Amino acid sequence: MQARAKIQVNTNQVGADQINPYVFGHFVEDIRDHMEAMLAYPLADMDFESTDVTYRGLSGRWRPYTNGKSTQYAFEPAAARHSGHSQMVRIYSDDEAYAGIRQAIAVKQDLNGYELALYARASIEIKFVMAEIVDWKSEEVLGSARIDIRSHNWQHYAARIPVSRSCEQAEFRLYVPAEHERWRDHVSTGMLWLDHLSLLPSDSEGNVRKEVMDMTRDLNPGMMRLAGNYISAYHWQQAIGPVYERPCVINEAWGGWTNKYFGTDEFIQFCRDLQVEPLICVNDGSGTPQEAADWVEYCNGGADTPMGKLRAANGHPEPYGVKYWEIGNEVWGAWQVGHCNAEQFAVRYVQFAQAMKAIDPEIKLLACGHVQMDWNKPLLEMAAEHIDYLTLHLYHGYNRFGMNESTPKVERYKAMLSYPEWTRETVGQLRELFRSTSRYAHLKLAITEYNTMYYPNTIRKKLPNEHTLEAAAANAANLNEFIRNSDLIEIGSFSDLVNGWLGGCIRVGDYYADQFRGKSSGRTGHALTVYGTPTYYVMNMYANRDVSYVVQSRTECGSFKVNSLVPIAPQLEDLPNLDVVACINDGGDKLTVFMVNRSLEDTITEVELGEFAESGTAHLVELTADHYECINNVQHPNSVVCQSHEVSFLSAVVSCQLKGSSVYVLEVTRDRA
């Protein structure tokens, strides 16, 4: 028989606490390929920071481009105030050949021209270099520019390279052409030095991909968090000011190089372009309270303050007004720089809080909390008066059930869809703790990281399960729990925004970054394809609704049980197949019902509207697919996307069929009285 369900909505019973739009926020972290995917630069090793791996004397991904057997490549010291290395190319006259460097890239058509930036010097007989973007298969030149070298000293050069068409298998080349008159001596001749080399498409916004910006705007995120494990070894002054002069710094958390092209000023511009609230996490691991206070002053101080003067000198005279600051990222974890126990963190937190609020008393401070109450209790006992928000990171995966890939799929599915029950358990414990004394009555919760994590299957080369319809349904149900607890939960940060390690909701190209192995190439070569995962569409569905308050609802439906292989809390029996939360807008004329069908059965569902509306046409947004393991990928980027339907209703009842493992938003608008 067809499964049936009933949802009764009572819009006369309205919650007292407004739903904060920050709960639909997102998160950027310099982790694996997150920055590389988010930023618009097609070239890597732009400052020649990496040592050679394959080709002696050439940095990172750069390769030789020469027709001369005697061309030499070497690292030399960087230019003054620069870091990394300079790349030297030496051409011997008896080769009578061109010589330079090349790198495989993907480019899109850009008739306005990619912006080429070059920092270079050369021996005096080298008069110019050529920059080309070429289809390396056909040798078709897609765009080129000549750069006249004006000095034996270091200078900045710039040019535009129009690109005639998109090409996934392109190559960038910069070289000294063979047309030069040849020199007879081998002393101080035929030498070219490069200290920076970058390309940026003309449609980039700041230095971010236009496609990423467009998709992020559509998410309507409310808040954007800058944080993560790398922050605890990150010194913010290393990533401000002229980019050439920013040091190349190892990413101590995730390996590789910290991206110096997305520092404080770029992050704030990113947030302003998106019209979202910034949230910055400070370095409490290897940093100091003074360093954190200086960061606050750099963002919020007037131009007459020391750090405000520095910001103004960097081209930003007006204060940024960053209100939300987080102290500590997963300090309870042994992987974190500055890891310590709760009592030690509480002492440290107070020192940071006092220093930061001395600069700007109006800022709101977030303290690193935990799902374990034996961390939260001593932290609050020692520091509650200095805390505005306690943070949680809620990652839901197989590990808590003792499951792995050999567990039957249906059992794994039910375990993953129990995500909101775990959130409810943790939030309930904190609610009880907050109510235990009036000292904690002011505290709110910020879920500054959350996602599905399919442990222990983390070492893999194929598309992660985090990108399936199943993951999207689990994350949607978890968002329902956030909304139900809107009196406490005011901030949410989905992890991550772009690529990253496993669960970035925007995907760029066919690279999948594994937790332990770093970035692995897919087999398709679709490096230019930018698309959303099913969870991207969940976030889009939720954040773009006109919702202000939770209203009372009651659901009658089937249920399921999670058969955990290890003892767990909470008890996961008799869980409703439908996870539902109903909301109303501030004007009282729009009802929104978020519905997640957590079962694998299609369910005919009647939504009883009560006194809200008798008849009319409802709007139904649906995220579904043929199977819960369906994904979007570079070959099929739109397999799982939102579909909209108009549904007529009579007698205050909307009837709709909710497909298994799917997410729905029902909107009913009535005429204002």
Side-chain angles (χ1 to χ4, degrees), residues 335-481:
W335 54 87
Q336 189 72 30
V337 174
H339 163 63
C340 61
N341 62 37
E343 289 81 4
Q344 291 168 327
F345 174 67
V347 172
R348 184 196 307 172
Y349 175 87
V350 171
Q351 294 171 346
F352 273 73
Q354 289 175 333
M356 293 166 71
K357 286 226 173 185
I359 297 297
D360 185 351
E362 300 304 312
I363 61 175
K364 298 292 185 181
L365 294 180
L366 289 70
C368 172
H370 195 11
V371 295
Q372 302 297 328
M373 296 306 123
D374 56 2
W375 171 276
N376 298 324
K377 288 177 180 178
L379 171 61
L380 296 185
E381 286 172 2
M382 298 174 65
E385 287 77 10
H386 302 275
I387 299 172
D388 296 298
Y389 293 85
L390 189 70
T391 72
L392 292 175
H393 289 181
L394 301 177
Y395 288 111
H396 182 68
Y398 297 150
N399 56 324
R400 59 184 19 158
F401 303 97
M403 295 179 177
N404 56 37
E405 61 275 9
S406 65
T407 307
K409 280 188 175 183
V410 171
E411 295 302 321
R412 283 185 279 159
Y413 172 85
K414 291 188 291 186
M416 293 307 299
L417 269 294
S418 71
Y419 195 173
E421 322 304 326
W422 293 82
T423 298
R424 184 178 304 121
E425 177 80 3
T426 300
V427 173
Q429 291 174 1
L430 283 169
R431 186 182 294 278
E432 183 178 344
L433 178 59
F434 290 177
R435 288 173 175 172
S436 65
T437 171
S438 59
R439 288 182 59 221
Y440 305 160
H442 66 287
L443 293 173
K444 300 292 184 181
L445 289 178
I447 316 299
T448 52
E449 292 183 33
Y450 69 95
N451 201 346
T452 52
M453 303 298 287
Y454 286 72
Y455 294 126
N457 183 27
T458 54
I459 301 178
R460 53 184 175 262
K461 299 300 180 187
K462 296 182 180 180
L463 189 68
N465 290 343
E466 277 79 9
H467 301 163
T468 61
L469 178 62
E470 171 188 286
N475 277 310
N478 189 56
L479 274 176
N480 285 353
E481 190 62 25

Side-chain angles (χ1 to χ4, degrees), residues 287-307:
T288 66
Q290 184 61 53
E291 182 180 22
D294 286 345
W295 202 354
V296 174
E297 185 174 275
Y298 183 84
C299 290
N300 297 354
D304 57 344
T305 64
M307 293 298 107

Side-chain angles (χ1 to χ4, degrees), residues 513-535:
D514 180 291
Q515 184 186 6
F516 299 116
R517 300 286 178 85
K519 190 172 73 171
S520 304
S521 176
R523 299 180 176 87
T524 64
H526 289 274
L528 297 176
T529 303
V530 182
Y531 63 95
T533 67
T535 296

